[in-house]
Short mmCIF file of all heavy atoms in Angstrom, two decimals:
data_model
loop_
_atom_site.label_atom_id
_atom_site.label_comp_id
_atom_site.label_asym_id
_atom_site.label_seq_id
_atom_site.Cartn_x
_atom_site.Cartn_y
_atom_site.Cartn_z
N GLY B 97 12.32 9.44 5.93
CA GLY B 97 11.71 8.61 6.99
C GLY B 97 12.43 7.28 7.15
O GLY B 97 12.69 6.83 8.28
N THR B 98 12.78 6.68 6.04
CA THR B 98 13.45 5.37 6.12
C THR B 98 14.89 5.53 6.62
O THR B 98 15.36 4.71 7.42
CB THR B 98 13.45 4.65 4.76
OG1 THR B 98 14.05 5.49 3.79
CG2 THR B 98 12.06 4.30 4.30
N ILE B 99 15.56 6.58 6.16
CA ILE B 99 16.94 6.81 6.63
C ILE B 99 16.95 6.99 8.15
O ILE B 99 17.73 6.38 8.87
CB ILE B 99 17.57 8.04 5.92
CG1 ILE B 99 17.86 7.71 4.45
CG2 ILE B 99 18.84 8.50 6.63
CD1 ILE B 99 18.31 8.91 3.63
N LEU B 100 16.03 7.82 8.61
CA LEU B 100 15.97 8.08 10.05
C LEU B 100 15.72 6.78 10.83
O LEU B 100 16.38 6.52 11.84
CB LEU B 100 14.85 9.08 10.36
CG LEU B 100 14.73 9.32 11.86
CD1 LEU B 100 15.32 10.66 12.23
CD2 LEU B 100 13.32 9.22 12.35
N ALA B 101 14.75 5.98 10.33
CA ALA B 101 14.43 4.74 11.05
C ALA B 101 15.64 3.81 11.10
O ALA B 101 15.91 3.20 12.14
CB ALA B 101 13.25 4.05 10.36
N ILE B 102 16.36 3.75 10.00
CA ILE B 102 17.52 2.85 9.95
C ILE B 102 18.60 3.32 10.92
O ILE B 102 19.15 2.53 11.68
CB ILE B 102 18.07 2.77 8.50
CG1 ILE B 102 17.10 1.95 7.65
CG2 ILE B 102 19.46 2.14 8.47
CD1 ILE B 102 17.40 1.99 6.16
N ILE B 103 18.87 4.61 10.92
CA ILE B 103 19.97 5.06 11.78
C ILE B 103 19.57 5.08 13.26
O ILE B 103 20.39 4.87 14.13
CB ILE B 103 20.61 6.40 11.33
CG1 ILE B 103 19.57 7.50 11.21
CG2 ILE B 103 21.34 6.24 10.04
CD1 ILE B 103 20.17 8.82 10.75
N LEU B 104 18.28 5.28 13.52
CA LEU B 104 17.84 5.17 14.92
C LEU B 104 17.97 3.74 15.40
O LEU B 104 18.32 3.48 16.56
CB LEU B 104 16.40 5.64 15.07
CG LEU B 104 16.15 7.15 15.20
CD1 LEU B 104 14.67 7.43 15.38
CD2 LEU B 104 16.93 7.75 16.37
N LYS B 105 17.68 2.81 14.49
CA LYS B 105 17.79 1.39 14.86
C LYS B 105 19.25 1.02 15.15
O LYS B 105 19.52 0.10 15.92
CB LYS B 105 17.22 0.52 13.73
CG LYS B 105 16.80 -0.84 14.22
CD LYS B 105 15.98 -1.60 13.22
CE LYS B 105 15.51 -2.91 13.89
NZ LYS B 105 14.77 -3.75 13.01
N ALA B 106 20.16 1.77 14.51
CA ALA B 106 21.59 1.52 14.75
C ALA B 106 22.09 2.28 15.97
O ALA B 106 23.30 2.45 16.16
CB ALA B 106 22.38 1.92 13.52
N ASN B 107 21.13 2.76 16.78
CA ASN B 107 21.44 3.45 18.05
C ASN B 107 22.21 4.75 17.90
O ASN B 107 22.96 5.16 18.80
CB ASN B 107 22.21 2.51 18.99
CG ASN B 107 21.33 1.37 19.45
OD1 ASN B 107 20.14 1.56 19.68
ND2 ASN B 107 21.90 0.19 19.54
N VAL B 108 22.02 5.41 16.77
CA VAL B 108 22.59 6.76 16.60
C VAL B 108 21.76 7.71 17.48
O VAL B 108 20.53 7.59 17.52
CB VAL B 108 22.51 7.18 15.11
CG1 VAL B 108 22.89 8.63 14.93
CG2 VAL B 108 23.40 6.28 14.27
N PRO B 109 22.41 8.64 18.21
CA PRO B 109 21.64 9.57 19.05
C PRO B 109 20.59 10.34 18.23
O PRO B 109 20.85 10.71 17.08
CB PRO B 109 22.70 10.51 19.61
CG PRO B 109 23.99 9.77 19.48
CD PRO B 109 23.85 8.87 18.30
N LEU B 110 19.46 10.60 18.87
CA LEU B 110 18.33 11.20 18.16
C LEU B 110 18.67 12.53 17.47
O LEU B 110 18.34 12.70 16.29
CB LEU B 110 17.15 11.38 19.12
CG LEU B 110 15.89 11.98 18.53
CD1 LEU B 110 15.34 11.12 17.41
CD2 LEU B 110 14.83 12.19 19.60
N PRO B 111 19.33 13.49 18.17
CA PRO B 111 19.59 14.77 17.48
C PRO B 111 20.42 14.58 16.21
O PRO B 111 20.16 15.20 15.19
CB PRO B 111 20.38 15.57 18.53
CG PRO B 111 20.01 14.97 19.84
CD PRO B 111 19.79 13.52 19.57
N LEU B 112 21.40 13.66 16.29
CA LEU B 112 22.24 13.40 15.12
C LEU B 112 21.41 12.74 14.00
O LEU B 112 21.54 13.09 12.82
CB LEU B 112 23.42 12.49 15.51
CG LEU B 112 24.43 12.19 14.42
CD1 LEU B 112 25.07 13.47 13.88
CD2 LEU B 112 25.53 11.26 14.94
N ALA B 113 20.54 11.85 14.42
CA ALA B 113 19.70 11.16 13.43
C ALA B 113 18.79 12.16 12.71
O ALA B 113 18.63 12.10 11.48
CB ALA B 113 18.86 10.09 14.13
N ILE B 114 18.23 13.09 13.47
CA ILE B 114 17.36 14.10 12.86
C ILE B 114 18.17 14.99 11.92
O ILE B 114 17.72 15.31 10.81
CB ILE B 114 16.65 14.94 13.95
CG1 ILE B 114 15.63 14.06 14.70
CG2 ILE B 114 15.94 16.15 13.35
CD1 ILE B 114 15.02 14.70 15.92
N LEU B 115 19.37 15.34 12.37
CA LEU B 115 20.23 16.17 11.53
C LEU B 115 20.55 15.46 10.20
O LEU B 115 20.47 16.07 9.13
CB LEU B 115 21.53 16.50 12.28
CG LEU B 115 22.47 17.45 11.56
CD1 LEU B 115 21.86 18.84 11.41
CD2 LEU B 115 23.81 17.56 12.30
N VAL B 116 20.88 14.19 10.31
CA VAL B 116 21.17 13.42 9.09
C VAL B 116 19.93 13.41 8.18
O VAL B 116 20.04 13.58 6.96
CB VAL B 116 21.61 11.97 9.44
CG1 VAL B 116 21.69 11.11 8.19
CG2 VAL B 116 22.95 11.98 10.16
N GLY B 117 18.76 13.24 8.78
CA GLY B 117 17.51 13.24 8.01
C GLY B 117 17.32 14.56 7.28
O GLY B 117 17.03 14.59 6.07
N LEU B 118 17.52 15.66 8.00
CA LEU B 118 17.32 16.99 7.39
C LEU B 118 18.35 17.23 6.28
O LEU B 118 18.03 17.75 5.21
CB LEU B 118 17.41 18.08 8.45
CG LEU B 118 16.31 18.07 9.52
CD1 LEU B 118 16.55 19.15 10.56
CD2 LEU B 118 14.93 18.24 8.89
N LEU B 119 19.60 16.83 6.56
CA LEU B 119 20.64 17.02 5.53
C LEU B 119 20.37 16.16 4.30
O LEU B 119 20.63 16.58 3.17
CB LEU B 119 22.03 16.69 6.12
CG LEU B 119 22.56 17.70 7.14
CD1 LEU B 119 23.87 17.20 7.75
CD2 LEU B 119 22.76 19.07 6.50
N SER B 120 19.82 14.97 4.54
CA SER B 120 19.48 14.11 3.39
C SER B 120 18.43 14.80 2.52
O SER B 120 18.50 14.76 1.29
CB SER B 120 18.91 12.77 3.87
OG SER B 120 19.79 12.16 4.75
N GLY B 121 17.44 15.40 3.19
CA GLY B 121 16.42 16.13 2.45
C GLY B 121 17.01 17.29 1.68
O GLY B 121 16.68 17.53 0.50
N ALA B 122 17.90 18.05 2.35
CA ALA B 122 18.53 19.18 1.69
C ALA B 122 19.33 18.73 0.47
O ALA B 122 19.28 19.34 -0.61
CB ALA B 122 19.45 19.90 2.69
N LEU B 123 20.03 17.61 0.63
CA LEU B 123 20.82 17.08 -0.48
C LEU B 123 19.91 16.65 -1.64
O LEU B 123 20.21 16.91 -2.81
CB LEU B 123 21.65 15.88 0.02
CG LEU B 123 22.53 15.20 -1.02
CD1 LEU B 123 23.62 16.16 -1.52
CD2 LEU B 123 23.19 13.94 -0.45
N ALA B 124 18.80 16.02 -1.28
CA ALA B 124 17.85 15.59 -2.32
C ALA B 124 17.36 16.79 -3.12
O ALA B 124 17.28 16.76 -4.36
CB ALA B 124 16.69 14.84 -1.69
N GLY B 125 17.04 17.88 -2.40
CA GLY B 125 16.60 19.10 -3.07
C GLY B 125 17.71 19.71 -3.91
O GLY B 125 17.47 20.16 -5.05
N LEU B 126 18.91 19.69 -3.36
CA LEU B 126 20.07 20.26 -4.08
C LEU B 126 20.29 19.54 -5.41
O LEU B 126 20.53 20.17 -6.45
CB LEU B 126 21.32 20.14 -3.19
CG LEU B 126 22.61 20.66 -3.79
CD1 LEU B 126 22.58 22.18 -3.92
CD2 LEU B 126 23.81 20.26 -2.92
N ILE B 127 20.17 18.22 -5.38
CA ILE B 127 20.40 17.43 -6.61
C ILE B 127 19.37 17.81 -7.67
O ILE B 127 19.71 18.06 -8.83
CB ILE B 127 20.36 15.92 -6.29
CG1 ILE B 127 21.57 15.54 -5.43
CG2 ILE B 127 20.34 15.09 -7.57
CD1 ILE B 127 21.51 14.15 -4.83
N VAL B 128 18.09 17.87 -7.27
CA VAL B 128 17.05 18.25 -8.24
C VAL B 128 17.34 19.65 -8.78
O VAL B 128 17.25 19.91 -9.99
CB VAL B 128 15.63 18.21 -7.60
CG1 VAL B 128 14.58 18.65 -8.59
CG2 VAL B 128 15.31 16.81 -7.09
N GLY B 129 17.71 20.55 -7.87
CA GLY B 129 17.98 21.93 -8.27
C GLY B 129 19.14 22.04 -9.23
O GLY B 129 19.03 22.70 -10.28
N ILE B 130 20.24 21.39 -8.90
CA ILE B 130 21.43 21.50 -9.77
C ILE B 130 21.14 20.91 -11.15
O ILE B 130 21.47 21.51 -12.18
CB ILE B 130 22.65 20.82 -9.10
CG1 ILE B 130 23.15 21.71 -7.96
CG2 ILE B 130 23.76 20.58 -10.11
CD1 ILE B 130 24.32 21.15 -7.19
N ILE B 131 20.50 19.72 -11.16
CA ILE B 131 20.23 19.10 -12.47
C ILE B 131 19.33 19.99 -13.31
O ILE B 131 19.59 20.23 -14.49
CB ILE B 131 19.58 17.70 -12.30
CG1 ILE B 131 20.58 16.74 -11.64
CG2 ILE B 131 19.15 17.14 -13.65
CD1 ILE B 131 19.99 15.39 -11.29
N SER B 132 18.28 20.53 -12.69
CA SER B 132 17.33 21.29 -13.51
C SER B 132 17.83 22.70 -13.84
O SER B 132 17.62 23.18 -14.95
CB SER B 132 15.96 21.33 -12.86
OG SER B 132 16.05 21.83 -11.57
N ILE B 133 18.51 23.33 -12.90
CA ILE B 133 18.93 24.72 -13.16
C ILE B 133 20.23 24.75 -13.97
O ILE B 133 20.30 25.40 -15.03
CB ILE B 133 19.13 25.50 -11.83
CG1 ILE B 133 17.83 25.49 -11.01
CG2 ILE B 133 19.58 26.94 -12.11
CD1 ILE B 133 16.61 26.07 -11.67
N LYS B 134 21.24 24.03 -13.49
CA LYS B 134 22.52 24.05 -14.22
C LYS B 134 22.40 23.27 -15.53
O LYS B 134 23.08 23.57 -16.51
CB LYS B 134 23.64 23.46 -13.35
CG LYS B 134 23.96 24.31 -12.13
CD LYS B 134 24.57 25.65 -12.54
CE LYS B 134 24.88 26.51 -11.32
NZ LYS B 134 25.28 27.88 -11.72
N GLY B 135 21.56 22.25 -15.51
CA GLY B 135 21.37 21.48 -16.76
C GLY B 135 20.41 22.15 -17.73
O GLY B 135 20.18 21.65 -18.82
N LYS B 136 19.83 23.26 -17.29
CA LYS B 136 18.87 24.04 -18.10
C LYS B 136 17.78 23.13 -18.68
O LYS B 136 17.50 23.13 -19.88
CB LYS B 136 19.59 24.80 -19.22
CG LYS B 136 20.63 25.79 -18.67
CD LYS B 136 21.06 26.79 -19.69
CE LYS B 136 22.23 27.65 -19.23
NZ LYS B 136 22.05 28.28 -17.91
N THR B 137 17.22 22.34 -17.79
CA THR B 137 16.15 21.42 -18.22
C THR B 137 14.86 21.78 -17.50
O THR B 137 14.86 22.61 -16.59
CB THR B 137 16.51 19.96 -17.86
OG1 THR B 137 16.84 19.93 -16.47
CG2 THR B 137 17.66 19.43 -18.67
N GLU B 138 13.80 21.13 -17.90
CA GLU B 138 12.49 21.39 -17.30
C GLU B 138 12.45 20.79 -15.89
O GLU B 138 12.57 19.57 -15.71
CB GLU B 138 11.42 20.76 -18.20
CG GLU B 138 10.00 21.05 -17.78
CD GLU B 138 9.70 22.53 -17.60
OE1 GLU B 138 9.82 23.29 -18.59
OE2 GLU B 138 9.36 22.91 -16.47
N THR B 139 12.27 21.66 -14.89
CA THR B 139 12.28 21.21 -13.49
C THR B 139 11.28 20.10 -13.22
O THR B 139 11.56 19.13 -12.53
CB THR B 139 11.94 22.40 -12.57
OG1 THR B 139 12.86 23.43 -12.82
CG2 THR B 139 12.00 22.01 -11.12
N PHE B 140 10.09 20.28 -13.81
CA PHE B 140 9.01 19.33 -13.56
C PHE B 140 9.43 17.91 -13.94
O PHE B 140 9.20 16.96 -13.19
CB PHE B 140 7.79 19.78 -14.37
CG PHE B 140 6.55 19.01 -14.04
CD1 PHE B 140 5.93 19.19 -12.81
CD2 PHE B 140 6.00 18.14 -14.95
CE1 PHE B 140 4.77 18.49 -12.50
CE2 PHE B 140 4.84 17.44 -14.65
CZ PHE B 140 4.23 17.61 -13.42
N LEU B 141 10.07 17.80 -15.10
CA LEU B 141 10.48 16.47 -15.58
C LEU B 141 11.61 15.90 -14.73
O LEU B 141 11.61 14.71 -14.39
CB LEU B 141 10.91 16.55 -17.05
CG LEU B 141 9.82 17.02 -18.01
CD1 LEU B 141 10.35 17.15 -19.43
CD2 LEU B 141 8.63 16.05 -18.00
#
Side-chain angles (χ1 to χ4, degrees):
Chain B
T98 56
I99 289 173
L100 178 104
I102 288 170
I103 56 181
L104 277 181
K105 203 168 185 183
N107 293 323
V108 171
L110 181 61
L112 183 59
I114 291 171
L115 184 66
V116 171
L118 295 177
L119 289 175
S120 305
L123 180 64
L126 179 69
I127 292 169
V128 178
I130 286 178
I131 294 174
S132 55
I133 303 301
K134 293 293 179 188
K136 300 196 188 309
T137 52
E138 185 53 61
T139 304
F140 189 70
L141 299 176

